[in-house]
Amino acid sequence: MPLVTTTEMFKKAYDGGYAVGAFNVNNMEIVQGITEAAGELRSPVILQVSNGARNYARHAYLMKLVEAAVIEYPDVPIALHLDHGSSFELCKSCIDGGFTSVMIDMSSKPFEENIEITRQVVEYAHARGVVVEAELGTLEGVEDEVVVESGQASYTRPEEVEEFVTRTGCDSLAIAIGTSHGAYKFRPEQCTRNEKGILVPPPLRFDVLEEVTKRLPGFPIVLHGSSSVPQEFVQMINQYGGDMPDAIGIPEEQLRQAARSAVCKINIDSDIRLAMTATVRKYLAENPSHFDPRQYLKPARQAVKEMVAHKIVDVLGSDNTI
Ligand code: G3H
Ligand code: 13P
Ligand code: ZN
């Protein structure tokens, strides 16, 4: 099948109590690792491209890599999505260039400005069969060109969501309930220690999610910043020459709980980066004379596949849904 929008996949995910994984792609190995896992596990998948990825790999290369995956996995519903579109022009360029879904992220702007620009993108996208994700509330960390300083993040205000969705016509809504981007989601002093001495971050605001869902029944909700920062990979990075102290993510049980609710799309990028980097560091440390990139990118690609397979089965619950 050709690239699809997220409409059908979100409807099935909502009704089936699971979420579809949205994984960021930057190069061939990442596209291959993700789609191989989705193909084997019979799961739909969203491949998403940030503006940074587009600047790095360039639009035409990314399009062709994704088109190749569509050919390799003809049964898998694959959506190609712009992650954190920061302007109407960027969204337009991706819509005109073959994406089936775009995010317009005006979450750092005042409510009325967010509505106005989101509405413009929706009008342009819908006229071309493309769907739009918007965002209300802000996440800490770097969202491409948007940097939200620590302490400046704000949870989504449930009382705003109906008006926002009605006036913009957006197809899905990203909300802020305590997740954030990157591998350092919480400072150690924000966490408590469990009986094993492991740092446990404050729980996600499921009360906010519940309130949003009540006001938007049946409407697909999106969670950004949903990497769990597996400590085995952080330790592997540190063991083989890296330095990532206090990297802390979102516990997977909480994401599994979110996936059973109105959350239909869960964004995961940092965990893939960690798995790749840890694998490459270990490989090169153990094979100091190797210099053929295929030698270390092959296990790195396998690590991406295993990470995505784990997320599909244990976090998203989207396996065997196609
Ligand atoms: O939310 C941002 C994604 O993790 C993409 O990150 O802007 O470094 O490509 P990037
Ligand atoms: P992570 O940094 O938690 O992987 O979040 C990715 C994301 O939200 C991409 O939009
Ligand atoms: Zn994001």
Side-chain angles (χ1 to χ4, degrees):
M1 72 181 87
L3 282 172
V4 298
T5 71
T6 53
T7 309
E8 169 98 15
M9 47 172 99
F10 285 171
K11 194 181 172 336
K12 283 179 73 177
Y14 201 104
D15 295 344
Y18 63 90
V20 180
F23 303 102
N24 290 70
V25 296
N26 297 279
N27 63 21
M28 183 186 77
E29 287 75 14
I30 297 178
V31 172
Q32 288 178 332
I34 295 167
T35 51
E36 240 180 86
E40 283 178 19
L41 291 164
R42 307 201 52 73
S43 168
V45 74
I46 299 165
L47 300 179
Q48 55 185 15
V49 170
S50 69
N51 195 35
R54 216 159 161 258
N55 289 338
Y56 172 75
R58 300 208 289 281
H59 183 92
Y61 284 88
L62 291 168
M63 270 323 285
K64 294 297 168 194
L65 287 172
V66 172
E67 283 169 14
V70 166
I71 292 169
E72 290 238 307
Y73 300 100
D75 301 337
V76 177
I78 301 177
L80 177 56
H81 173 79
L82 168 66
D83 192 26
H84 294 289
S86 53
S87 66
F88 174 84
E89 289 69 29
L90 176 58
C91 292
K92 178 178 183 301
S93 167
C94 289
I95 294 165
D96 294 347
F99 282 41
T100 54
S101 174
V102 293
M103 174 188 193
I104 176 72
D105 181 0
M106 288 291 127
S107 59
S108 62
K109 298 279 191 270
F111 187 65
E112 283 300 324
E113 194 177 341
N114 188 350
I115 289 185
E116 182 49 26
I117 299 173
T118 301
R119 198 191 54 72
Q120 286 170 21
V121 172
V122 168
E123 196 174 301
Y124 190 83
H126 283 185
R128 289 154 186 83
V130 171
V131 291
V132 179
E133 174 187 326
E135 180 169 334
L136 259 185
T138 49
L139 277 67
E140 237 171 60
V142 182
E143 296 181 347
D144 246 330
E145 284 122 32
V146 185
V147 181
V148 179
E149 296 300 338
S150 171
Q152 297 303 305
S154 60
Y155 298 116
T156 302
R157 292 157 53 93
E159 58 275 24
E160 290 181 347
V161 297
E162 287 153 286
E163 182 183 355
F164 184 84
V165 167
T166 310
R167 286 179 60 195
T168 61
C170 66
D171 302 279
S172 60
L173 183 67
I175 62 167
I177 60 166
T179 62
S180 60
H181 291 99
Y184 301 91
K185 298 188 191 299
F186 304 96
R187 292 182 303 284
E189 58 270 26
Q190 290 177 287
C191 303
T192 51
R193 277 194 196 275
N194 70 10
E195 60 287 355
K196 288 183 191 142
I198 293 167
L199 287 171
V200 180
L204 296 180
R205 289 288 304 271
F206 281 99
D207 57 321
V208 173
L209 171 60
E210 205 174 302
E211 198 51 46
V212 167
T213 309
K214 263 193 219 148
R215 290 165 190 260
L216 295 174
F219 194 79
I221 301 301
V222 178
L223 276 194
H224 282 250
S226 298
S227 278
S228 295
V229 189
Q231 291 304 300
E232 68 194 273
F233 289 113
V234 175
Q235 278 160 17
M236 211 194 283
I237 287 172
N238 291 337
Q239 182 183 344
Y240 293 103
D243 184 19
M244 295 189 68
D246 299 331
I248 303 168
I250 311 291
E252 288 190 335
E253 320 79 72
Q254 291 184 39
L255 296 166
R256 184 70 197 100
Q257 187 182 337
R260 286 195 193 94
S261 73
V263 171
C264 294
K265 173 175 181 271
I266 293 189
N267 287 11
I268 297 168
D269 184 16
S270 298
D271 283 354
I272 289 183
R273 296 179 181 194
L274 287 166
M276 282 191 98
T277 300
T279 305
V280 170
R281 277 193 180 279
K282 179 171 190 285
Y283 183 91
L284 290 175
E286 288 175 351
N287 300 278
S289 64
H290 288 192
F291 67 99
D292 179 344
R294 292 172 298 185
Q295 290 173 316
Y296 54 84
L297 289 176
K298 193 174 171 186
R301 178 175 59 189
Q302 180 64 20
V304 174
K305 181 182 171 182
E306 285 168 17
M307 174 62 75
V308 170
H310 162 64
K311 297 292 180 182
I312 286 174
V313 173
D314 300 318
V315 178
L316 303 156
S318 63
D319 50 316
N320 293 314
T321 61
I322 57 177

